[in-house]
């Protein structure tokens, strides 16, 4: 069999399997129909940080509130951040809103239909551009998410450890991508990775690529893709100042737009640094003078570091700043870390 016909056979086997077993997902079009680019974009941004099961309810909520990209563009940023709560990485939600504004304002409400055009949008990287181009516009593009990475590494038995091995996997995925039905092909790879070629105990007997899969033949599918060992995460330390006025309102401030939890509301704190804080030096960074008592501590893990916060509680008669009663916190887009602070402070 020639190389071209071998690849045609691979494509045909996978698309045949997809036609019988494809997942029904809220952002996916029925068989034979093109998906709405707004739905594909929204789901792909949400899926970058969590699972399909979690994203479904967020996706339904967003589409119910903002049925078109123009509606999302016109929404208040705080409302978008609030609806995003629980999906993590708020920078993505801010970029989502920026991107909606760009599509509504600069592109007449229509997403660009090429990878290059999509890449020019805020918050859209190479993976997302390829996914939208393939799924919404049937462009022969090759998005490589975690599922496609695993399936491709096993099919072609690519053993170079990640992250360096990504290049070889992406090249192999590009070689596999057909000109006909590329959107279905990408989604078929995603479904195969989610349902059959799972990280643990892949169900090779049910796989349309059972025969040509090199890792299955070699018996090492479950070990692929290999990963380079991760460096240990450092721990940073900070002190949070929970300050109440005479009516139990609490002082909050907004974080700078750039950086971690950018633009989110927080309780004032010291810097977060590698050395633990002594009581005296922490007080220098308190926004107001007060008599402090230790209220509790919080532990949280971000992608690149663990954080340990001591929570100090103090009373003041108020002053400049944003004072909000805890009963009204539900209306704020408080990140998970700050919700932990609330719990520690209020016991
Ligand atoms: Fe994955 Fe097994 Fe299919 Fe290979 S044969 S792609 S390892 S499920």
């Amino acid at each position: 069999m020639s190389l071209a016909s071998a690849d045609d056979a691979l494509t045909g086997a996978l698309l045949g399997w997809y036609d019988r077993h494809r997942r029904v997902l809220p952002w996916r079009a029925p068989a034979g129909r093109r998906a709405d680019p707004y739905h594909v974009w929204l789901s792909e941004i949400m899926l970058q940080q969590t699972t399909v099961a979690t994203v479904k309810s967020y996706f339904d909520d967003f589409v119910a509130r903002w049925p078109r990209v123009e509606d999302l563009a016109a929404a208040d940023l705080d409302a978008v951040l609030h609806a995003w709560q629980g999906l993590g990485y708020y920078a993505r939600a801010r970029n989502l809103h920026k991107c909606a504004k760009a599509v509504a304002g600069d592109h007449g409400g229509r997403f660009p239909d090429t990878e290059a055009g999509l890449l020019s949008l805020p918050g859209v990287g190479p993976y997302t551009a390829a996914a939208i181009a393939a799924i919404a516009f049937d462009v022969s593009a090759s998005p490589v998410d975690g599922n496609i990475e695993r399936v491709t590494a096993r099919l072609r038995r690519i053993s170079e450890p990640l992250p360096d091995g990504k290049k070889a996997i992406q090249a192999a995925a590009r070689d596999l991508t057909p000109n006909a039905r590329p959107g279905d092909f990408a989604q078929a790879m995603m479904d195969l990775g989610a349902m059959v070629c799972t990280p643990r105990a892949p169900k090779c007997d049910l796989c349309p690529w059972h025969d040509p899969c090199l890792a299955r033949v070699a018996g090492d599918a479950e070990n692929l893709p290999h990963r380079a060992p991760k460096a240990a995460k450092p721990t940073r330390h900070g002190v949070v100042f929970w300050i109440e006025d005479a009516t139990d309102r609490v002082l909050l401030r907004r974080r700078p737009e750039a950086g971690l939890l950018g633009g989110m509301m927080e309780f004032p704190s010291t810097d977060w640094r590698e050395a633990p804080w002594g009581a005296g030096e922490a007080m220098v960074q308190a926004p107001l003078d007060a008599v402090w008592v230790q209220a509790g501590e919080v532990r949280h893990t971000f992608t690149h570091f663990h954080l340990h916060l001591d929570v100090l509680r103090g009373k003041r008669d108020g002053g400049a700043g944003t004072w909000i009663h805890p009963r009204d916190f539900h209306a704020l887009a408080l990140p998970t870390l700050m919700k932990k602070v609330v719990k520690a402070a209020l016991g």
Side-chain angles (χ1 to χ4, degrees):
M1 197 186 285
S2 75
L3 215 56
S5 61
D7 283 353
D8 288 350
L10 277 177
T11 303
L14 183 63
L15 287 173
W17 174 86
Y18 180 67
D19 291 339
R20 293 189 300 280
H21 300 291
R22 66 202 297 274
R23 289 177 293 177
V24 175
L25 300 171
W27 46 87
R28 210 173 247 186
R33 299 255 301 275
R34 281 272 171 86
D36 182 334
Y38 172 51
H39 291 179
V40 177
W41 163 74
L42 189 58
S43 63
E44 287 296 341
I45 301 289
M46 289 178 167
L47 284 166
Q48 283 171 17
Q49 48 215 61
T50 186
T51 60
V52 165
T54 304
V55 164
K56 279 180 182 170
S57 63
Y58 282 90
F59 175 85
D60 287 341
D61 179 46
F62 266 64
V63 171
R65 284 173 196 241
W66 303 297
R68 301 167 315 138
V69 69
E70 291 93 334
D71 302 320
L72 183 58
D76 187 59
L77 174 61
D78 274 340
V80 176
L81 292 174
H82 195 251
W84 189 264
Q85 270 189 87
L87 278 177
Y89 295 103
Y90 287 90
R92 294 224 171 104
R94 286 204 318 282
N95 273 330
L96 184 90
H97 192 236
K98 256 192 222 159
C99 183
K101 281 177 177 292
V103 172
D106 304 338
H107 298 273
R110 300 170 74 90
F111 279 83
D113 60 4
T114 63
E115 279 185 89
L118 289 158
L119 262 177
S120 71
L121 297 172
V124 174
Y127 164 75
T128 311
I132 301 171
I135 298 170
F137 299 110
D138 225 18
V139 169
S140 182
S142 308
V144 180
D145 68 354
N147 282 324
I148 296 180
E149 192 169 71
R150 185 171 59 258
V151 173
T152 307
R154 290 174 177 176
L155 175 73
R156 298 301 197 204
R157 198 165 177 245
I158 297 168
S159 55
E160 187 183 0
L162 299 174
D164 290 354
K166 273 180 188 293
K167 274 195 189 139
I169 292 174
Q170 277 169 347
R174 242 190 333 270
D175 285 346
L176 284 167
T177 303
N179 289 323
R181 298 181 66 189
D184 282 348
F185 186 80
Q187 292 175 97
M189 294 270 271
M190 292 170 182
D191 284 11
L192 191 70
M195 298 157 71
V196 176
C197 193
T198 45
R200 298 277 151 261
K203 303 169 190 70
C204 301
D205 288 346
L206 302 177
C207 182
W209 285 347
H210 175 276
D211 290 355
C213 177
L214 298 181
R216 183 201 61 80
V217 171
D220 59 3
E222 193 164 321
N223 299 332
L224 293 175
H226 296 303
R227 287 172 203 283
K230 281 188 185 162
K233 287 183 190 185
T235 298
R236 293 189 195 163
H237 301 265
V239 176
V240 181
F241 303 100
W242 176 277
I243 310 168
E244 293 166 337
D245 71 4
T247 59
D248 295 335
R249 293 180 313 163
V250 182
L251 182 64
L252 287 111
R253 68 183 179 189
R254 194 176 286 279
R255 291 179 66 82
E257 281 296 319
L260 197 63
L261 306 178
M264 307 299 298
M265 297 302 286
E266 68 168 5
F267 305 101
S269 78
T270 60
D271 302 331
W272 301 343
R273 66 179 197 188
E274 302 229 337
W277 288 85
E281 53 175 354
M283 295 311 159
V284 174
Q285 295 201 10
L288 297 168
D289 285 335
V291 177
W292 302 106
V293 292
Q294 179 86 30
E297 59 180 337
V298 165
R299 290 180 191 276
H300 192 74
T301 296
F302 290 105
T303 315
H304 298 298
F305 64 94
H306 301 294
L307 180 64
H308 175 220
L309 295 176
D310 282 312
V311 182
L312 300 185
R313 189 169 177 167
K315 277 271 184 194
R316 274 285 302 222
D317 286 339
T322 304
W323 295 84
I324 299 176
H325 195 281
R327 69 170 164 262
D328 298 323
F329 284 172
H330 65 91
L332 298 172
L334 277 185
T336 306
L337 170 63
M338 293 303 146
K339 287 182 180 163
K340 288 185 182 176
V341 172
V342 174
K343 212 167 166 189
L346 298 180

